[in-house]
Amino acid sequence: MAARVEKIFTSLDIGSSKISAMIAGRTDNGELTVLGTGHHASKGVKRGYIADTETTETDVRAAVEQAERIAGTNIDDVWVSFSAGGLQSMLTSVETELGGHRIEQDDIDLLLDAGRNSIDPKGKMVLHAQPALYTLDGLNGVKKPKGLHADRLGVDIHVILAEASPVRNIEMSVRGAHLNVRSIVASPIAVGNACLSTEERELGVALVEMGAEVTNVSLFAGGMLVGLTTLPYGAADITDDIASSFGLRRAQAERIKCFYGSATTSPRDNHDVINQGLDDNGEAGDEDGRITRAQLIAVIRQRLDHLIGEIGRSLKELGFTGPVGRQVVLTGGGAELKGIADYAQSALGRTVRIGRPSGLSALPEAHSGPAFAGLAGLALYASQEPVDLRYMARSHQNVHKYGGSAVIGRLMSAIRGNF
């Protein structure tokens, strides 16, 4: 008997080069299966920010309608990714007196409510406010305190902040496409769900998402995102360099990069000749002009040297400075460039692997690469139905808020322990 779909989740990844949609269903056996996917060129987004609302609305609708046709269903609510700059990760912590009694759900709810009230957004919008780990009488790292006895119960709350205007512009564009925004999710959280194992997130790992025009560098430790930064560079900059260096249109440059581009060199590169006039099928056309593969790779490497150098500096600033061998996971459309993992591993001096989405069944091969990791991660994140303190009913209880230095100190101890 075929598994029955109990609930549907739709993810929408609005990028600078493409807008992708995925409709996934959770079956009665707990499996998340892909029902339909769609994507469309993104013409109204620049460096992760909405630059043309009307164009973005049209592109969003086109991607979603394609996914709806394949899935054979219509959807109303979507989970949307946000990858532009201005994202900030922080922890806030609160604690309450229990007097040694058994912890009930009401105690946890009251503590979480107090935690929500303790968040200081510092002029930004709260994108996520989720309980991370609990503390019982000073014992850190408790995941499920219900049913235990304690004199004091505390919780660390993981908060993601974002600039308000870019988030509102994305929400406005999606609603303009006649869709309800269920939630806007920070891209590193979504991608981490698809590409990182639970153990990697616990022990510590760096996640680098190379998009078309934006690269997100994030750090995971203790099971959560503990630091992130955004670089205004991406794979589209490599395409532009190729186009300007050899006098090509962007579409031609993109095809040449995909067919012949590489981050690593070989002795044959000086002998492999590329016809610049590739048609839409990647076959040689009649246009004049030939270059060697070595010339192409030289242009690619020049941009990569700059981008990987910026990534290395970001990792150092985030505190990712432990012994050589700690892992970096590279994903996003830029991670599909041939040889980039070997190149990044040599340049960063750390183990690098390519992150591909996992955890979904019936994922189309065309959407199983690193370029669609954010889309798949959004569906996985939505299916977990995470707790967000912003949507909890309010209540009241006396609590103690930790000073910022205490929270930061505990976080830094965790990072030093893992890295």
Side-chain angles (χ1 to χ4, degrees), residues 103-408:
I103 300 170
E104 303 293 344
Q105 187 60 48
D106 285 347
D107 298 314
I108 297 172
D109 291 342
L110 288 167
L111 181 68
L112 294 180
D113 179 50
R116 173 182 56 192
N117 295 332
S118 73
I119 296 172
D120 178 11
K122 302 176 181 178
K124 291 191 172 185
M125 173 182 286
V126 178
L127 208 58
H128 301 276
Q130 298 170 323
L133 297 173
Y134 293 88
T135 303
L136 297 184
D137 297 331
L139 174 65
N140 297 323
V142 178
K143 294 183 178 180
K144 296 180 180 180
K146 185 178 178 180
L148 301 175
H149 292 262
D151 290 315
R152 300 176 69 86
L153 173 66
V155 65
D156 289 335
I157 299 166
H158 183 215
V159 181
I160 299 289
L161 304 176
E163 299 291 348
S165 295
V167 175
R168 292 193 182 107
N169 289 338
I170 283 185
E171 185 172 4
M172 180 174 62
S173 297
V174 175
R175 294 191 185 279
H178 311 294
L179 296 165
N180 297 321
V181 177
R182 176 65 180 81
S183 181
I184 294 180
V185 180
S187 182
I189 290 182
V191 176
N193 266 272
C195 297
L196 303 179
S197 68
T198 301
E199 190 171 78
E200 283 176 329
R201 290 195 294 267
E202 287 287 342
L203 297 177
V205 65
L207 178 66
V208 178
E209 182 189 3
M210 287 182 61
E213 297 182 355
V214 171
T215 295
N216 282 315
V217 182
S218 50
L219 217 58
F220 289 79
M224 61 185 169
L225 180 69
V226 296
L228 59 91
T229 189
T230 301
L231 304 174
Y233 317 107
D237 293 304
I238 299 175
T239 301
D240 288 350
D241 288 350
I242 296 171
S244 61
S245 296
F246 303 116
L248 303 173
R249 298 191 305 273
R250 279 194 175 100
Q252 288 176 300
E254 180 66 21
R255 285 194 289 271
I256 286 177
K257 182 182 75 173
C258 294
F259 276 97
Y260 301 105
S262 177
T264 56
T265 60
S266 72
R268 286 188 51 84
D269 293 338
N270 282 309
H271 305 286
D272 290 341
V273 178
I274 302 169
N275 190 315
Q276 296 182 39
L278 293 178
D279 64 18
D280 290 339
N281 296 317
E283 297 177 356
D286 297 328
E287 296 181 25
D288 295 332
R290 293 173 179 270
I291 60 173
T292 65
R293 197 160 183 258
Q295 290 175 300
L296 174 64
I297 292 175
V299 173
I300 293 173
R301 287 285 292 263
Q302 186 174 12
R303 175 62 66 172
L304 279 181
D305 287 345
H306 173 257
L307 178 55
I308 298 299
E310 291 294 317
I311 290 171
R313 278 189 284 275
S314 296
L315 290 173
K316 186 175 181 180
E317 290 171 0
L318 290 172
F320 195 71
T321 56
V324 174
R326 297 297 185 182
Q327 194 169 64
V328 174
V329 176
L330 189 61
T331 188
E336 296 189 343
L337 180 67
K338 182 180 177 182
I340 194 167
D342 292 336
Y343 171 83
Q345 183 164 297
S346 175
L348 295 174
R350 298 185 177 275
T351 303
V352 176
R353 72 169 177 86
I354 301 298
R356 294 179 172 83
S358 61
L360 296 96
S361 64
L363 183 65
E365 185 176 351
H367 291 76
S368 62
F372 293 92
L375 185 68
L378 267 176
L380 289 166
Y381 180 84
S383 70
Q384 296 165 5
E385 301 185 72
V387 174
D388 194 310
L389 304 189
R390 294 173 299 165
Y391 307 121
M392 289 182 60
R394 294 184 178 274
S395 52
H396 300 281
Q397 186 179 24
N398 292 327
V399 298
H400 306 283
K401 180 181 177 182
Y402 286 118
S405 58
V407 179
I408 293 172

Side-chain angles (χ1 to χ4, degrees), residues 24-165:
R26 187 171 60 207
T27 62
D28 50 12
N29 61 11
E31 187 177 55
L32 189 65
T33 185
V34 178
L35 304 177
T37 58
H39 64 273
H40 193 271
S42 177
K43 301 181 181 69
V45 182
K46 303 297 181 185
R47 302 289 176 189
Y49 294 93
I50 302 296
D52 187 327
T53 303
E54 291 184 2
T55 299
T56 302
E57 290 173 4
T58 302
D59 295 341
V60 165
R61 194 66 251 176
V64 170
E65 286 176 352
Q66 184 181 356
E68 287 177 327
R69 285 194 299 270
I70 296 173
T73 186
N74 293 322
I75 58 96
D76 296 314
D77 300 327
V78 293
W79 295 67
V80 187
S81 67
F82 179 77
S83 60
L87 290 173
Q88 180 182 345
S89 177
M90 59 178 281
L91 279 182
T92 186
S93 191
V94 293
E95 191 175 75
T96 185
E97 297 281 355
L98 293 180
H101 74 71
R102 187 173 183 267
I103 300 170
E104 303 293 344
Q105 187 60 48
D106 285 347
D107 298 314
I108 297 172
D109 291 342
L110 288 167
L111 181 68
L112 294 180
D113 179 50
R116 173 182 56 192
N117 295 332
S118 73
I119 296 172
D120 178 11
K122 302 176 181 178
K124 291 191 172 185
M125 173 182 286
V126 178
L127 208 58
H128 301 276
Q130 298 170 323
L133 297 173
Y134 293 88
T135 303
L136 297 184
D137 297 331
L139 174 65
N140 297 323
V142 178
K143 294 183 178 180
K144 296 180 180 180
K146 185 178 178 180
L148 301 175
H149 292 262
D151 290 315
R152 300 176 69 86
L153 173 66
V155 65
D156 289 335
I157 299 166
H158 183 215
V159 181
I160 299 289
L161 304 176
E163 299 291 348
S165 295

